[in-house]
Amino acid sequence: LAFWFWYRPAVREMTIGVHEIKGALMQESSSWPEVEERVRAVIKAHPILAYSWMETGERVFTLPSGGGSKPVMLGSPKDLWNSSALLARRFNLGLAEAVPNILVGVGLFFTFVFLSWALVDTTAALTQVGSSAKETERAISELLKVAGGKFLTSLAGLFASIVWTYKSKRALNELNGPNQGSVDLIND
């Protein structure tokens, strides 16, 4: 649920916004102010990208070029337009990256809690005064049935961790575009 209602919407919003900015940048234009105006229209629809665009704009200077002028960006925009930088402004990215480990940990925690309870119940049954061999056998049989079921929590945690990791990496790939590590906007 956290993936579908917290992580994925944030990545999707960033992906859509970045692709719209890319489209605005790729349109034919005669001047940098026209490009800025088109991108500002996109930023109004995706305000979360405003800071990255503002920083980008501060790096663009107009230099004279053969009788006219040409906009030039000083430095690389990769520090502004990468999935980590963009998503860190939207939500706690460190927590999102730690979720698979948390899921495994929760699964193991509940496995050991339930297994401990089963062992305590079995030990109590085995140490009762006057326990017959039949009661001892029943207690051990019940322990083994319960123990097998308790490992399902570990399996559920592992499965959820794998699904989260796969889906989150896939969502980041959509944002990053064809070249991993940098948003598609940078590469074009």
Side-chain angles (χ1 to χ4, degrees):
L1 289 174
F3 178 81
W4 290 106
F5 295 108
W6 174 62
Y7 185 83
R8 189 166 192 270
V11 174
R12 197 142 185 74
E13 177 186 352
M14 288 294 175
T15 302
I16 291 168
V18 166
H19 287 291
E20 287 180 14
I21 288 176
K22 178 183 174 183
L25 290 172
M26 299 304 288
Q27 288 178 10
E28 215 38 59
S29 67
S30 60
S31 69
W32 177 246
E34 287 178 20
V35 171
E36 284 185 307
E37 192 59 39
R38 284 195 307 266
V39 173
R40 275 193 216 110
V42 173
I43 296 295
K44 285 180 185 176
H46 304 282
I48 196 74
L49 297 171
Y51 178 79
S52 295
W53 180 251
M54 182 185 71
E55 289 286 318
T56 302
E58 290 175 359
R59 295 179 184 185
V60 175
F61 296 92
T62 304
L63 298 176
S65 173
S69 62
K70 181 177 181 178
V72 176
M73 182 172 193
L74 302 179
S76 173
K78 288 185 179 185
D79 60 326
L80 301 171
W81 295 98
N82 64 67
S83 59
S84 297
L86 292 171
L87 292 174
R89 297 185 198 296
R90 180 70 163 76
F91 60 82
N92 185 343
L93 187 59
L95 177 61
E97 291 172 346
V99 166
N101 296 332
I102 293 169
L103 291 169
V104 170
V106 168
L108 288 173
F109 173 77
F110 283 111
T111 295
F112 286 109
V113 165
F114 293 136
L115 194 54
S116 296
W117 283 343
L119 287 171
V120 167
D121 289 344
T122 302
T123 303
L126 292 174
T127 58
Q128 284 182 352
V129 176
S131 294
S132 68
K134 193 77 163 168
E135 289 172 345
T136 302
E137 185 180 318
R138 186 186 55 75
I140 292 173
S141 175
E142 193 63 34
L143 169 68
L144 293 175
K145 286 180 188 175
V146 169
K150 301 312 175 202
F151 286 104
L152 289 176
T153 59
S154 286
L155 290 174
L158 286 169
F159 178 73
S161 173
I162 291 167
V163 169
W164 180 284
T165 301
Y166 173 76
K167 291 291 215 175
S168 67
K169 297 297 181 193
R170 190 169 177 199
L172 286 179
N173 259 354
E174 289 177 23
L175 178 59
N176 285 332
N179 298 321
Q180 290 187 344
S182 60
V183 175
D184 200 18
L185 175 68
I186 297 168
N187 301 313
D188 295 326

